[in-house]
Amino acid sequence: MATEERTALEAWAERYTATPERPTSFTTMSGEPIQPLYTEQDLPAAEAIGLPGEFPFTRGVYPSMYRGRLWTMRQFAGFGTAEETNERFHYLLDHGQTGLSTAFDMPSLMGHDSDDPRSLGEVGREGVAVDTLDDMQDLFAGIDLGEVSVSMTINAPAAIALAYYVVAAEAAGVPRDRLSGTIQADILKEYIAQKEWCFPVDPAMRLLGDMIEWSSRELPRWHPVSISGYHIREAGSTAAQELAFTLKDGFTYVEQAVERGLDVDDFAPRLSFFFNAQIDFFEEIAKYRAARRIWARELRDTYGAKNPKSWLMRTHVQTAGVSLTAQQPLNNIARTAIEALAGVLGGTQSLHTNSHDEALALPTEDAVRTALRTQQVIAHETGVTNTADPLGGSYFVEALTDRMEALAYDYFRRIDELGGMVESVKRGFPQREIADASFELQNEIEAGDRVVVGVNRYTEGDAGEPEILRIDPNLERKQIGRLQAVRARRDGAAVEERLARLREAAAVEDRNLMPLLVECAEVHASEGEIVETLQAVWGDYRETPVY
């Protein structure tokens, strides 16, 4: 920078310091300090930024970005039985949604059947109950699974859900090679953050490896794992922790697949990511840009991927559920719009917007429609889709992108020193880091140092609880009846024979279990029966306390 420019900047700094700052902390939500001004001195080299659709993909994974195609607009849906959720799916498709995102209830996420005593009071409460193939068929009745992209948010028993889905699609006349979508299946994230597991860490990792290997042969359009930072962030992590732990999980899955003998280019193009969109607008945009750059560099240079499609980080983004407040819930519409805009400006390929009433209950149809319309307003009215990466070159955004990247690599180093991600999870390292970050943020909110509108400031005018969706308790009895009816009419001997074969194969380390899970699905074995069969070989998991 020329002398006269430095002098101008110094003169500005003098004028700036002459004006008292507001009594607040000028940091990102994650605690990273923000300078009062960024200039061209903060820009990285041009090659570090690149161009849209070109390595290192900082500016987006496709050359045309949203001028060529808008992101997939998804809404998370699932409650009660498969029939009720199927009605909601049709409603969303009729109102312009372009992909389906399936929420499962807690028993399904934990591998319990609906009539298991541990499921009492939770069946169909926070998602749809799926016990057998029959439920999966009813869930997508009347929907062309060869045309609609489907996302399923389920992890520990994801391989079972995928088996049900493939069999249901084929029974409806849709061959498996036409199926497109994603199943989350990010098991390391469960031990780190969401705490929904069925098996110990090592066999759970094996099961995920089986899915990736099998999908690479059988489901060419399917994403067999959505490497998820979303729940890591919901657990209280910083943006940098979400970025680092998510990417390190992804690298671990790549390493596992390569150790199985797969060529990285045979599966990496079908890995996808799922990130949180928190309320700190610029930090989130920088996080997505840094994530793409790190993934591209590591897949090419560390893991030897030669196919440019392997370098692309394709992302789904969901607005932050943890940012929603039960107080003054209409404020959540504004929060969601800002978070969704960050996801779009950050270059996502798929977006889910939360409904404003989700801090109180599952969303009503009116709230879901408003959330979807929020995406449509961003897409069609704001002008942000007219050019690729409109914030690219921003002094602040580029500096923050570099900072996110540096923080991620520092975490990579620390994880490697502990023996890698699996060992770090077993030792509780990411869990402790997240717990500390969450505690610090909550202290800031309770002390009033971080403002949450309607919660610790501007609290007047709270109109109380709005109308919410209430789940009929009779749906639990209905689902249990459906499950028992399936058990009554299926071939019990065939179920026992398939489960016995699965149990034998689970004891053989190099057997891929996906074909056997498909066979179990075909004879209507329930999820709980399959999980218990595997637990008889692998055991259960008990978490070691973090502190």
Side-chain angles (χ1 to χ4, degrees):
M1 182 177 289
T3 302
E4 59 271 17
E5 291 175 332
R6 287 201 303 273
T7 302
L9 185 58
E10 291 168 354
W12 172 86
E14 291 176 2
R15 293 193 299 273
Y16 176 82
T17 54
T19 305
E21 291 182 337
R22 289 182 290 114
T24 188
S25 176
F26 292 98
T27 65
T28 68
M29 187 176 182
S30 300
E32 292 301 311
I34 300 299
Q35 302 303 316
L37 181 69
Y38 291 81
T39 70
E40 63 183 35
Q41 297 177 75
D42 298 292
L43 290 177
E47 58 267 23
I49 303 174
L51 296 171
E54 297 183 10
F55 188 90
F57 306 102
T58 313
R59 304 197 66 186
V61 293
Y62 300 123
S64 62
M65 285 306 290
Y66 305 133
R67 285 179 70 116
R69 178 183 177 183
L70 293 174
W71 60 91
T72 299
M73 299 183 189
R74 298 186 186 276
Q75 292 301 115
F76 208 31
F79 62 94
T81 70
E83 292 173 336
E84 284 76 31
T85 300
N86 178 261
E87 291 177 7
R88 177 63 66 88
F89 280 165
H90 281 282
Y91 174 86
L92 291 169
L93 292 171
D94 290 344
H95 282 77
Q97 186 166 303
T98 54
L100 297 175
S101 188
T102 311
F104 294 85
D105 69 358
M106 184 59 71
S108 299
L109 295 174
M110 297 296 294
H112 305 323
D113 284 339
S114 293
D115 59 354
D116 189 301
R118 292 168 292 184
S119 301
L120 182 64
E122 294 294 336
V123 176
R125 287 286 174 179
E126 64 173 28
V128 61
V130 173
D131 290 308
T132 66
L133 169 65
D134 305 69
D135 292 324
M136 192 68 78
Q137 290 176 309
D138 289 343
L139 184 61
F140 294 104
I143 297 170
D144 186 349
L145 297 181
E147 297 296 328
V148 175
S149 171
V150 172
S151 172
M152 291 186 280
T153 303
I154 189 168
N155 293 278
I160 302 168
L162 181 59
Y164 288 157
Y165 185 75
V166 169
V167 176
E170 291 182 332
V174 180
R176 60 184 65 176
D177 62 4
R178 285 185 57 205
L179 297 176
S180 64
T182 304
I183 194 160
Q184 193 166 99
D186 182 359
I187 195 60
L188 286 176
K189 172 265 301 180
E190 290 300 320
Y191 301 108
I192 293 171
Q194 200 172 18
K195 313 301 183 182
E196 293 162 0
W197 48 65
C198 298
F199 315 113
V201 178
D202 291 327
M205 284 289 292
R206 170 196 170 178
L207 194 55
L208 174 61
D210 288 350
M211 284 184 60
I212 294 173
E213 184 178 17
W214 184 78
S215 297
S216 70
R217 298 192 305 264
E218 302 289 333
L219 303 176
R221 301 175 61 194
W222 189 260
H223 298 277
V225 57
S226 175
I227 304 155
S228 175
Y230 184 84
H231 303 97
I232 291 173
R233 193 65 179 279
E234 291 287 286
S237 79
T238 67
Q241 289 168 346
E242 178 193 359
L243 175 64
F245 299 155
T246 305
L247 286 169
K248 199 62 174 175
D249 286 349
F251 297 148
T252 303
Y253 300 147
V254 169
E255 291 162 6
Q256 181 195 49
V258 170
E259 288 171 2
R260 283 172 169 247
L262 294 179
D263 187 286
V264 67
D265 288 319
D266 288 341
F267 64 88
R270 285 183 299 281
L271 299 179
S272 64
F273 284 79
F274 176 22
F275 284 108
N276 199 296
Q278 254 288 1
I279 194 64
D280 194 316
F281 186 70
F282 290 105
E283 184 173 51
E284 297 303 289
I285 294 167
K287 179 184 71 183
Y288 309 133
R289 299 171 91 251
R292 283 194 296 271
R293 191 158 72 198
I294 296 170
W295 183 256
R297 179 189 304 118
E298 294 302 313
L299 264 289
R300 188 189 72 172
D301 298 345
T302 300
Y303 299 106
K306 296 178 174 58
N307 183 353
K309 291 183 179 179
S310 299
W311 309 336
L312 303 184
M313 171 181 274
R314 298 164 186 84
T315 60
H316 171 69
V317 166
Q318 180 177 339
T319 57
V322 74
S323 73
L324 303 177
T325 63
Q327 303 93 327
Q328 301 180 15
L330 290 179
N331 294 343
N332 295 328
I333 297 175
R335 293 187 177 100
T336 294
I338 292 165
E339 292 164 356
L341 184 58
V344 171
L345 291 174
T348 189
Q349 281 65 66
S350 174
L351 179 62
H352 165 83
T353 35
N354 291 327
S355 300
H356 68 268
D357 53 1
E358 288 188 58
L360 300 166
L362 291 174
T364 61
E365 286 191 353
D366 284 346
V368 168
R369 185 171 55 249
T370 298
L372 178 58
R373 293 289 181 259
T374 299
Q375 294 200 46
Q376 292 163 340
V377 168
I378 292 172
H380 301 293
E381 297 187 29
T382 62
V384 298
T385 60
N386 290 340
T387 189
D389 189 31
L391 292 181
S394 157
Y395 302 145
F396 179 39
V397 169
E398 297 296 356
L400 202 50
T401 300
D402 286 352
R403 179 61 178 160
M404 288 288 109
E405 182 175 351
L407 291 168
Y409 273 100
D410 183 60
Y411 267 116
F412 296 163
R413 176 188 56 77
R414 295 166 68 185
I415 290 167
D416 288 341
E417 289 173 352
L418 291 171
M421 198 59 180
V422 172
E423 185 60 29
S424 294
V425 168
K426 290 179 180 178
R427 295 171 64 172
F429 170 68
Q431 296 94 309
R432 284 192 296 273
E433 291 292 297
I434 294 169
D436 289 343
S438 177
F439 182 73
E440 184 174 342
L441 178 61
Q442 187 61 35
N443 280 344
E444 290 178 3
I445 292 171
E446 292 181 3
D449 297 332
R450 187 168 297 278
V451 175
V452 181
V453 173
V455 175
N456 62 3
R457 197 178 298 182
Y458 314 113
T459 56
E460 68 282 354
D462 194 331
E465 184 176 307
E467 182 179 347
I468 61 173
L469 178 67
R470 300 187 185 278
I471 305 300
D472 185 349
N474 290 321
L475 289 178
E476 180 164 331
R477 290 190 289 273
K478 178 182 176 181
Q479 178 62 23
I480 291 173
R482 288 162 58 93
L483 172 59
Q484 293 173 345
V486 170
R487 289 201 183 111
R489 66 173 180 264
R490 70 188 183 182
D491 184 341
V495 172
E496 290 301 320
E497 188 267 337
R498 298 288 176 88
L499 290 175
R501 290 177 58 189
L502 176 65
R503 183 167 52 250
E504 292 172 4
V508 181
E509 189 64 33
D510 60 353
R511 285 287 303 276
N512 191 304
L513 299 183
M514 280 305 304
L516 293 160
L517 292 175
V518 169
E519 291 181 3
C520 289
E522 290 170 339
V523 296
H524 306 272
S526 73
E527 181 189 68
E529 291 166 341
I530 295 171
V531 167
E532 289 174 3
T533 297
L534 294 173
Q535 287 175 335
V537 181
W538 294 341
D540 202 350
Y541 178 74
R542 294 291 183 268
E543 184 177 34
T544 301
V546 171
Y547 290 103

